[in-house]
Amino acid sequence: QVQLVESGGGLVQAGGSLRLSCAASGRTFGVAVGWFRQGPGKEREFVAAISWSGTYRLHADSVKGRFTISRDNAKSTVYLQMNSLKPEDTAVYYCAACTTTLPTIAPKGPYDYWGQGTQVTVSS
């Protein structure tokens, strides 16, 4: 099993930055990690994913050029650097682990384990 804990959310003005962290424990070797978000009244959507190796990354079109996913396997932590934030980025952000993929894949799904989420609010 994999346990995931997100942190780093908060309130920020439009144009600002935040860095989210996803700390993993348990079976973390070979695991791909993704970030998802769910805004008020919206369905959960894919934001970004990174392969176990860290070599392969995938970002949704809506965040490309503004958000960057990265990982530090020595710390079992995945990050989501969010720059140029917009009010429409307001959401609960979740990290998730995929244990059924190759180390060189950054998948959109399916994901097996999920964190509890961290709230990001962007004011205009």
Side-chain angles (χ1 to χ4, degrees):
Q1 289 199 353
V2 181
Q3 294 79 42
L4 302 167
V5 178
E6 303 96 336
S7 62
L11 173 64
V12 63
Q13 288 189 333
S17 298
L18 282 174
R19 187 177 79 158
L20 304 183
S21 298
C22 173
S25 60
R27 180 203 155 188
T28 60
F29 184 82
V31 172
V33 175
W35 283 98
F36 294 77
R37 66 186 181 185
Q38 187 165 15
K42 298 180 181 179
E43 293 188 353
R44 186 173 63 195
E45 64 172 341
F46 170 81
V47 176
I50 188 166
S51 64
W52 159 252
S53 65
T55 304
Y56 297 93
R57 312 179 191 194
L58 184 65
H59 296 85
D61 288 344
S62 59
V63 305
K64 201 170 292 183
R66 300 188 299 122
F67 292 10
T68 302
I69 191 170
S70 63
R71 69 188 297 161
D72 183 342
N73 285 343
K75 297 181 179 179
S76 297
T77 302
V78 173
Y79 305 97
L80 185 67
Q81 177 67 45
M82 306 187 297
N83 298 328
S84 302
L85 282 160
K86 304 175 181 180
E88 51 263 43
D89 294 318
T90 294
V92 178
Y93 283 71
Y94 301 90
C95 67
C98 177
T99 63
T100 59
T101 188
L102 296 174
T104 55
I105 301 295
K108 284 189 175 182
Y111 283 83
D112 314 293
Y113 300 95
W114 295 81
Q116 293 300 308
T118 185
Q119 176 71 46
V120 171
T121 303
V122 184
S123 63
S124 57

